[in-house]
Amino acid sequence: MKSFLALFLSLSLFSAAPFATARGEPASVQDGINVEEGSRLRKLVPAQQLEEQAAQQYAALKKEAAQKDVLVPENHPQVQRLRAIAKRIIPHTERWNERADQWPWEVNLIALKEVNAFCMPGGKIAFFGGLLETLKLTDDEVAIVMGHEIAHALREHARERMAKGSLLSLGATIGSAVLGLGDIGQAVVGQGAQLWMLKFSRGHETDADVVGLDIVARAGFDPRAGVTLWQKMSALNKSAPPQWMSTHPAGKNRIAQIRKHLPSVMPLYAKSRGTTVAALSPYQTNVKGIAPVK
């Protein structure tokens, strides 16, 4: 059986399912991105209980990572960088979920070569070293990843999937596959491991992408970095595809959908920068061969 961490990674940003239209309650009208509300079924699962279980699992993951000496210290420059980006993004989360204002947000970095990241319900975020190092992400690109993962939590996708009964068998081991902990993780997983034994739907992936663009644009990060991020991912896929990309390729459709939503979020970004969309320069990433994004 796959470990809890491996399964959780399969539902994070890099599951990269094709885009689809989210379905549920009528969309609310606002500036920026407009999406439909999630299914009312999610209300069958108590949000507080879900967040408490997530916090327990996150604490167990940190403990296991620390024991394996792969939990990066708080004073490390990359940890400080991630937390500084999160600090700018978090104030813009409450518009999408009123509980977010009370979440005990936390951001940590795990020194493994996994090219991934996630955010649990309740604002528990983790990045893996391989994501930053392999893709050489700019701050804007980091924000795109973080915004997507945070959007999953804000939009309560795990809660909705639980309510719909999309659970697999119990007994997952936190960190076993990635951290090499064998049966040790089973002793600390506690209740609620089943929360992560799921995959998000195509609609959820769409939802997280577009809501994430909205959040990062308001925080002053360039949403056009979503295009360059996935161009980098495509290049990685061609050279040495990780397991998750061999089964869930990003494809051109994701970039096309990001471009489609840029007109909705670029005014937010321009406003955060105190300028106009027309006055913005094209976005240029830090890797040669990737053209500027207008």
Side-chain angles (χ1 to χ4, degrees), residues 1-288:
M1 180 182 294
K2 290 185 179 180
S3 73
F4 152 71
L5 183 56
L7 284 162
F8 193 92
L9 293 179
S10 74
L11 59 79
S12 70
L13 169 64
F14 303 108
S15 59
F19 282 79
T21 300
R23 301 185 183 277
E25 301 169 4
S28 58
V29 178
Q30 60 180 18
D31 62 337
I33 293 294
N34 287 283
V35 292
E36 295 178 341
E37 295 295 333
S39 171
R40 294 179 181 179
L41 288 176
R42 71 185 187 279
K43 297 179 181 179
L44 297 175
V45 177
Q48 183 175 351
Q49 178 182 347
L50 185 68
E51 292 161 11
E52 289 174 353
Q53 291 175 343
Q56 292 171 6
Q57 293 186 16
Y58 189 77
L61 174 61
K62 285 173 55 183
K63 180 179 178 180
E64 295 291 347
Q67 290 175 349
K68 297 295 292 185
D69 198 28
V70 293
L71 182 64
V72 180
E74 293 187 356
N75 61 356
H76 191 281
Q78 288 285 36
V79 176
Q80 295 298 311
R81 177 193 183 201
L82 291 173
R83 292 181 178 180
I85 292 171
K87 187 176 181 179
R88 289 172 56 182
I89 292 175
I90 290 170
H92 302 280
T93 59
E94 187 180 2
R95 68 185 292 113
W96 293 101
N97 188 321
E98 61 183 12
R99 294 182 61 82
D101 187 51
Q102 303 300 321
W103 284 353
W105 292 88
E106 193 170 351
V107 184
N108 283 287
L109 176 62
I110 299 176
L112 294 173
K113 294 183 179 179
E114 294 293 321
V115 182
N116 224 314
F118 63 78
C119 178
M120 294 181 176
K124 302 300 185 182
I125 302 169
F127 270 65
F128 289 79
L131 179 62
L132 302 178
E133 297 168 7
T134 304
L135 298 182
K136 304 184 187 305
L137 298 183
T138 65
D139 285 358
D140 293 293
E141 291 163 349
V142 170
I144 293 292
V145 175
M146 192 176 293
H148 174 100
E149 299 303 333
I150 287 175
H152 274 308
L154 296 174
R155 299 284 286 162
E156 299 184 314
H157 293 155
R159 187 183 178 195
E160 181 177 332
R161 294 291 286 178
M162 281 191 64
K164 291 180 178 179
S166 298
L167 301 176
L168 301 178
S169 60
L170 304 180
T173 301
I174 275 189
S176 296
V178 176
L179 303 182
L181 302 175
D183 295 332
I184 297 176
Q186 295 179 0
V188 299
V189 72
Q191 297 181 348
Q194 69 272 21
L195 300 180
W196 319 115
M197 304 288 286
L198 52 83
K199 290 184 179 180
F200 290 144
S201 68
R202 292 181 178 183
H204 286 162
E205 289 299 325
T206 301
D207 204 49
D209 270 311
V210 298
V211 170
L213 289 177
D214 184 282
I215 295 170
V216 302
R218 295 178 192 276
F221 294 102
D222 197 323
R224 294 173 294 183
V227 174
T228 60
L229 168 67
W230 286 103
Q231 288 174 330
K232 288 182 177 182
M233 292 296 296
S234 296
L236 177 64
N237 188 28
K238 291 177 181 178
S239 60
Q243 182 178 3
W244 46 261
M245 286 201 72
S246 65
T247 55
H248 298 284
K252 295 181 179 179
N253 288 343
R254 193 156 203 165
I255 293 176
Q257 287 292 330
I258 290 174
R259 287 186 180 276
K260 176 182 176 180
H261 287 90
L262 286 179
S264 296
V265 296
M266 288 304 292
L268 303 177
Y269 172 61
K271 182 179 179 180
S272 74
R273 306 294 292 183
T275 187
T276 64
V277 174
L280 292 170
S281 300
Y283 180 74
Q284 178 66 67
T285 190
N286 56 357
V287 173
K288 293 182 179 179

